[in-house]
Amino acid sequence: KSHLKSQALFGSPRLLSDSPWSFRRPRVAPLAGARGEIQEMLPSAFLAAGARRGFSTFRPRSSLPSAKKRATGAFGVEFFGGRRPADVNYKMPELPKEMPPPESHKLHLQKYPGVASGLGAEYFFREGQKNPLSYYHVKSPTANYVMVAATNSRAVEARTIDNYVKERTRGFAVQLVLEGHGVKAYFDPEFPKLRVRLGVGAKVQDLSEYCLRDPDVKVAVNQKGDIVVLHGPNKERVGTLAFRLLRKMQPRLQVYTGKGAHFAFHPVKRKAVRKKK
């Protein structure tokens, strides 16, 4: 039956020209409609068979009764916003680059004293900078300053430039604060004979050698004797001497008694004293 049915639909299988699946170009019948291009590509026998079998492939989807009666939400691809054109970049010689933020087109400036020019091109025009710097040295009989520019506001406020300027203008200073009853530092009678007492009845320590270790770092004591100030040209030399003095002014029981020295704004964390029951 299937053989006879195929002959009835598509003709005799011995006649290749009449078969829609032959290797020769089949005869087509142009049809009118919204999808006439697709209909012209199909064999006439196949179209006739489709008409007899009740196919509805040539009608738009929106005109189908099932689509008109649909009351549910979207499904499939339509659930994610519908079909979209696919963006493919595998044929591009270079991938598209991201656009810089709008703030990168703005140039930020920072003014420094003329002494900052000592850093030179080795610093301002070094390689590998995330935000390259621009350097302008304005020098005249009435003015001497340096302008540093960059697209990032934080890049022009580099700590390296700030430290370099401070080392050659005002230097660096650190304070040692002495706390506790009877704790005192003084010169006997004057610099560099530094004396420190860490409590009432405690033995007086002679720290004169630390005042002479670095000739460029000056040691001063206030009138009350509870603040020792060290001032020098750079952080390394001032910090080294200040730490050595601190080790001499910090007793082991300072965390319990609170007597001794510490850096300003960095107090020693106290511990609770255990009382005997």
Side-chain angles (χ1 to χ4, degrees):
K1 291 182 180 181
S2 60
H3 179 67
L4 296 176
K5 187 176 181 181
S6 63
Q7 287 184 358
L9 292 177
F10 304 110
S12 176
R14 289 176 293 180
L15 300 177
L16 298 177
S17 60
D18 297 335
S19 175
W21 313 114
S22 64
F23 294 96
R24 298 181 183 180
R25 180 180 178 87
R27 293 174 297 176
V28 296
L31 300 176
R35 301 187 181 181
E37 297 84 357
I38 301 177
Q39 295 172 3
E40 290 180 359
M41 298 173 60
L42 298 176
S44 59
F46 184 78
L47 294 174
R52 286 196 297 271
R53 296 179 65 177
F55 291 161
S56 60
T57 55
F58 305 117
R59 298 175 58 186
R61 184 174 179 272
S62 59
S63 63
L64 295 178
S66 60
K68 293 180 179 180
K69 295 181 180 180
R70 185 179 62 179
T72 58
F75 62 94
V77 179
E78 288 77 6
F79 181 80
F80 300 97
R83 293 174 174 83
R84 307 182 187 88
D87 296 333
V88 182
N89 55 12
Y90 74 95
K91 291 185 178 181
M92 297 183 181
E94 292 184 2
L95 294 178
K97 299 180 181 179
E98 296 183 359
M99 293 297 295
E103 61 180 10
S104 63
H105 300 282
K106 184 180 179 181
L107 198 64
H108 301 270
L109 296 172
Q110 182 70 21
K111 186 177 180 180
Y112 291 97
V115 69
S117 62
L119 287 171
E122 292 81 2
Y123 173 77
F124 291 107
F125 303 114
R126 66 189 186 277
E127 296 181 357
Q129 299 186 69
K130 185 177 180 181
N131 300 284
L133 298 175
S134 298
Y135 162 78
Y136 308 94
H137 187 189
V138 181
K139 191 173 183 180
S140 65
T142 58
N144 184 14
Y145 59 90
V146 172
M147 297 298 297
V148 180
T151 55
N152 190 353
S153 58
R154 298 189 63 182
V156 298
E157 301 176 358
R159 187 173 295 180
T160 303
I161 305 176
D162 190 54
N163 291 342
Y164 186 87
V165 172
K166 288 180 179 179
E167 288 178 3
R168 285 152 181 80
T169 54
R170 65 180 187 181
F172 294 90
V174 66
Q175 293 181 345
L176 296 175
V177 181
L178 287 82
E179 293 183 356
H181 183 64
V183 180
K184 186 177 181 181
Y186 57 94
F187 289 115
D188 187 22
E190 58 184 9
F191 182 86
K193 296 182 180 180
L194 179 63
R195 305 287 189 269
V196 176
R197 186 182 64 206
L198 300 178
V200 178
K203 186 178 179 180
V204 178
Q205 300 183 30
D206 185 5
L207 304 179
S208 302
E209 59 171 321
Y210 294 95
C211 298
L212 302 175
R213 284 194 174 186
D214 195 334
D216 295 332
V217 179
K218 298 180 180 180
V219 181
V221 182
N222 66 339
Q223 186 177 4
K224 190 177 179 181
D226 58 350
I227 298 178
V228 179
V229 182
L230 292 88
H231 181 270
N234 55 42
K235 287 184 177 181
E236 182 180 3
R237 297 167 67 178
V238 173
T240 301
L241 184 58
F243 183 76
R244 295 184 182 277
L245 278 174
L246 183 68
R247 293 294 298 272
K248 291 292 183 179
M249 299 180 186
Q250 275 189 339
R252 293 183 178 180
L253 299 178
Q254 183 181 5
V255 293
Y256 298 103
T257 62
K259 295 182 178 180
H262 63 83
F263 287 117
F265 308 107
H266 295 278
V268 178
K269 188 176 181 180
R270 298 288 299 274
K271 292 183 180 181
V273 180
R274 295 182 180 180
K275 296 181 180 180
K276 294 182 179 180
K277 296 183 179 179

